[in-house]
Amino acid sequence: MLKKVTWVLFAFLLVFPLLGVEGKGFAQTTQFNDVSTSHWANKEIHFLRGKNVISGYEDNTFKPNNSLTRAQAAVIMTNILGVGERNVSQATFPDVPTTFWASGSIEQAAALGIFTGRDGRFYPNEHISKAQMAVVLSRSFNLAGQSTSSFTDISNGFWAVQEISSLERNHIVETGGKFEPNRATTRAEFAAYVTRSAEPSFRLSSSDGDTVQFEGRVVTSSSTLNIRSQPSTSGTVIGSLTRGATVDIYGQSGNWYQIKHGSGWGYVHSDFIEKVSGSGSDGGTSNPEVIAEAQVTASSLNVRESANTTSNTIGRLTQGQTVSIYGYEGNWALILFNGKWAYVHADYLNISTPGSNGLTNRVIAIDPGHGGTDPGAVANGLRETDITLGIGRELEKLLNNRGANPFLTRTNDTFIPLEERAKMANDRNADLFVSIHANAFSSSSANGVESYWNSTHSSADSKKLAESINKYLASDLGMNNRGVKEAGFVVIRQSRMPAVLIEVGFITNTNDANKMKQPDFYNKAANAVLKGIEDYYNN
């Protein structure tokens, strides 16, 4: 995923269709003629104007109901992130020549993974849809979402459900009713949602439909935990929580949790909050963060509804079974069991916490296979290049959370030569190399996961890594285990560290493809790879 970008005051100008140029400055009055004080986005629009980050037309209008193009949105996002333009000698997209007015911004946005093209093209003059806007904001501001949405027209299988959910969970959009994901985003909507994403004080209050996501407990080693005005260490300290205090979590922005403070909102760092309980009558999860992994040491371990021996037993775990831990309550560990929150006694777990997982400061090369002019396998409405990049981004995020230093050989739908991918890993002295692929075969009956290694470099370790990852891919994805094999693929043959190439199922098989279409597939696959890497280092 997109790496965290430090942003200061917004330094962008909205580009307008009638003007066709950027940076036309006009004398500004206090209020746009066509944005009254009663307009729903009045405060957000004029906040941006007050910061000199948007300008209107010569007649002092904003035209809030007009739409933006993808090119204009790319310019806005690269400017807001302060990353400038990317000058290239050869255009990435055939419909965005280097002479195009927004070429530098589009190239930079694509390189950062903020935008991706479609069918190898960018479509710069196409209006940006609301679903595309959600994806852009979620990626740019590292907003966390989940696989369900409150909007009636967003199904669990919708391609952008997690990104749309991230706008709901972080109080950027009004919830309920319809989202209209395929409708063009208006200038007022874009201005409002950009403002709310970047400036938390503009986010919607609990009276606008917010709900508690879960209850957390302060676990800082010091006596207090700072509450800040923004989800950043540059935010002003507006208060503090004492160690051991419990607090309701309403949303998440990157590594920061949103909480209520006084009559407004504040932010605390997620590293110092452990999950105590989930919200909702069904015990459902709201995209919680795993704080540790554990293996059951007892022959049979009771899973209970509450953190005590008198609560109801709702199931059992067997010896050797692995579980993810989301928090602690006394000597009890909070886990997810059959989709519901539950507790197991920590005395019967072999717990591996961040810092003890062998990943700290490990440089890990993540290679999403194919890209650009090489889409890889295409079948059943899927493209291999999209699957591998989606898993790669999730894996990068998970490894970052474990203290590793991962990097992607490609961050967008761009073609990278095979030799160059291995060279990237060698030049950075990577500790591991993981190339991600999806399989295909002429017979649609072929199915399952398999992993490859090569004996040229780090033979024994490469085989061990492949075996470890493949084991978790098969079990966690519920796919046939086709085993581990030696092969001479360029990327693993030329990488000088332990290197594997994994196949996460067959695009050409209906059952495997249907699993790949599930909204949580990327995360499941990435977590399986993560478990395999941790298992490799711990054993």
Side-chain angles (χ1 to χ4, degrees):
M1 283 295 288
L2 184 68
K3 289 188 178 294
K4 295 176 185 173
V5 182
T6 302
W7 51 273
V8 289
L9 290 179
F10 306 159
F12 70 86
L13 295 173
L14 278 173
V15 184
F16 305 111
L18 294 179
L19 298 177
V21 293
E22 179 187 9
K24 287 272 189 179
F26 305 110
Q28 297 183 0
T29 59
T30 303
Q31 190 85 20
F32 285 118
N33 293 340
D34 57 349
V35 182
S36 68
T37 56
S38 62
H39 189 279
W40 71 271
N42 168 61
K43 291 182 179 179
E44 291 90 340
I45 291 171
H46 286 99
F47 169 80
L48 294 183
R49 192 182 202 197
K51 294 291 187 181
N52 293 319
V53 297
I54 63 172
S55 58
Y57 292 88
E58 290 180 329
D59 59 357
N60 193 44
T61 60
F62 181 70
K63 299 188 180 357
N65 296 323
N66 283 11
S67 304
L68 269 80
T69 66
R70 284 168 54 82
Q72 293 165 354
V75 172
I76 291 169
M77 297 315 300
T78 53
N79 284 335
I80 198 173
L81 295 171
V83 294
E85 297 184 352
R86 182 183 180 91
N87 297 318
V88 296
S89 57
Q90 184 175 356
T92 301
F93 305 101
D95 56 346
V96 184
T98 56
T99 55
F100 185 71
W101 70 271
S103 169
S105 295
I106 291 172
E107 292 287 352
Q108 185 68 285
L112 292 173
I114 301 172
F115 278 83
T116 56
R118 187 174 75 247
D119 302 325
R121 304 171 69 85
F122 188 78
Y123 300 92
N125 297 318
E126 191 177 88
H127 288 142
I128 185 169
S129 70
K130 290 188 68 181
Q132 291 171 341
M133 173 203 65
V135 172
V136 167
L137 294 179
S138 178
R139 291 174 179 172
S140 298
F141 296 99
N142 198 24
L143 304 173
Q146 58 189 25
S147 58
T148 59
S149 168
S150 67
F151 292 112
T152 58
D153 56 349
I154 304 298
S155 67
N156 291 353
F158 186 69
W159 69 273
V161 62
Q162 290 199 359
E163 289 82 359
I164 292 170
S165 166
S166 77
L167 301 188
E168 298 174 67
R169 295 187 66 229
N170 288 283
H171 325 300
I172 292 165
V173 297
E174 295 79 1
T175 57
K178 293 184 177 182
F179 185 74
E180 299 178 286
N182 299 318
R183 176 174 62 77
T185 306
T186 68
R187 289 157 52 78
E189 288 170 334
F190 199 85
Y193 301 151
V194 165
T195 298
R196 294 173 189 173
S197 296
E199 178 50 60
S201 64
F202 281 87
R203 296 185 182 181
L204 304 175
S205 66
S206 58
S207 61
D208 293 303
D210 291 345
T211 56
V212 175
Q213 302 297 328
F214 62 89
E215 184 182 29
R217 178 181 289 116
V218 179
V219 292
T220 178
S221 57
S222 61
S223 59
T224 60
L225 174 63
N226 287 334
I227 304 172
R228 296 187 180 271
S229 61
Q230 297 181 16
S232 165
T233 53
S234 61
T236 303
V237 176
I238 58 175
S240 64
L241 297 173
T242 58
R243 183 173 57 206
T246 57
V247 60
D248 289 333
I249 306 299
Y250 288 84
Q252 184 172 1
S253 180
N255 291 323
W256 295 81
Y257 286 143
Q258 184 179 36
I259 66 172
K260 283 188 175 180
H261 180 68
S263 60
W265 296 104
Y267 294 84
V268 292
H269 202 283
S270 60
D271 283 355
F272 307 109
I273 299 290
E274 69 176 12
K275 190 177 184 68
V276 175
S277 64
S279 63
S281 60
D282 62 352
T285 167
S286 297
N287 198 34
E289 181 179 354
V290 175
I291 65 171
E293 299 287 346
Q295 191 171 52
V296 177
T297 58
S299 58
S300 178
L301 178 60
N302 289 332
V303 179
R304 298 185 181 274
E305 285 185 342
S306 303
N308 58 74
T309 55
T310 60
S311 68
N312 293 331
T313 299
I314 60 174
R316 288 179 175 80
L317 300 176
T318 58
Q319 188 172 26
Q321 193 168 348
T322 59
V323 292
S324 296
I325 297 176
Y326 297 88
Y328 296 97
E329 188 166 336
N331 292 324
W332 296 82
L334 177 69
I335 67 170
L336 275 174
F337 185 77
N338 292 334
K340 295 182 180 294
W341 294 114
Y343 291 87
V344 292
H345 204 285
D347 284 353
Y348 304 101
L349 299 174
N350 181 12
I351 300 172
S352 174
T353 57
S356 66
N357 55 23
L359 294 180
T360 304
N361 297 323
R362 297 281 188 183
V363 178
I364 299 178
I366 305 169
D367 176 43
H370 304 281
T373 57
D374 174 21
V378 179
N380 287 313
L382 298 169
R383 298 196 315 160
E384 185 177 1
T385 180
D386 300 327
I387 294 169
T388 61
L389 185 58
I391 296 171
R393 286 173 172 164
E394 287 293 315
L395 180 57
E396 181 189 33
K397 181 169 62 177
L398 293 171
L399 287 168
N400 270 319
N401 290 340
R402 292 295 197 276
N405 295 320
F407 68 90
L408 293 164
T409 59
R410 67 178 179 96
T411 58
N412 55 35
D413 195 16
T414 302
F415 175 74
I416 305 292
L418 299 178
E419 295 80 2
E420 182 63 24
R421 298 168 189 248
K423 186 176 184 297
M424 289 183 195
N426 293 334
D427 289 347
R428 298 198 190 189
N429 294 315
D431 294 292
L432 296 179
F433 180 93
V434 180
S435 187
I436 305 169
H437 289 259
N439 228 330
F441 195 63
S442 57
S443 171
S444 61
S445 62
N447 67 93
V449 299
E450 58 190 5
S451 298
Y452 295 89
W453 60 282
N454 182 263
S455 59
T456 304
H457 302 285
S458 305
S459 174
D461 285 337
S462 293
K463 183 179 181 182
K464 175 185 174 184
L465 178 62
E467 290 173 340
S468 183
I469 292 177
N470 206 67
K471 174 181 66 176
Y472 287 105
L473 284 174
S475 62
D476 291 11
L477 299 181
M479 291 187 180
N480 175 38
N481 189 340
R482 297 169 60 90
V484 170
K485 302 155 188 170
E486 183 178 1
F489 299 120
V490 171
V491 289
I492 57 175
R493 188 179 72 246
Q494 293 189 6
S495 296
R496 294 193 294 266
M497 66 294 302
V500 297
L501 185 148
I502 64 174
E503 301 276 6
V504 297
F506 279 76
I507 283 182
T508 47
N509 178 266
T510 302
N511 289 334
D512 284 6
N514 286 339
K515 290 178 180 178
M516 294 179 194
K517 292 177 182 178
Q518 296 303 307
D520 61 349
F521 180 78
Y522 293 168
N523 184 261
K524 275 187 176 181
N527 265 295
V529 176
L530 174 67
K531 289 180 182 179
I533 293 174
E534 288 184 325
D535 189 55
Y536 165 83
Y537 278 119
N538 291 333
N539 296 293

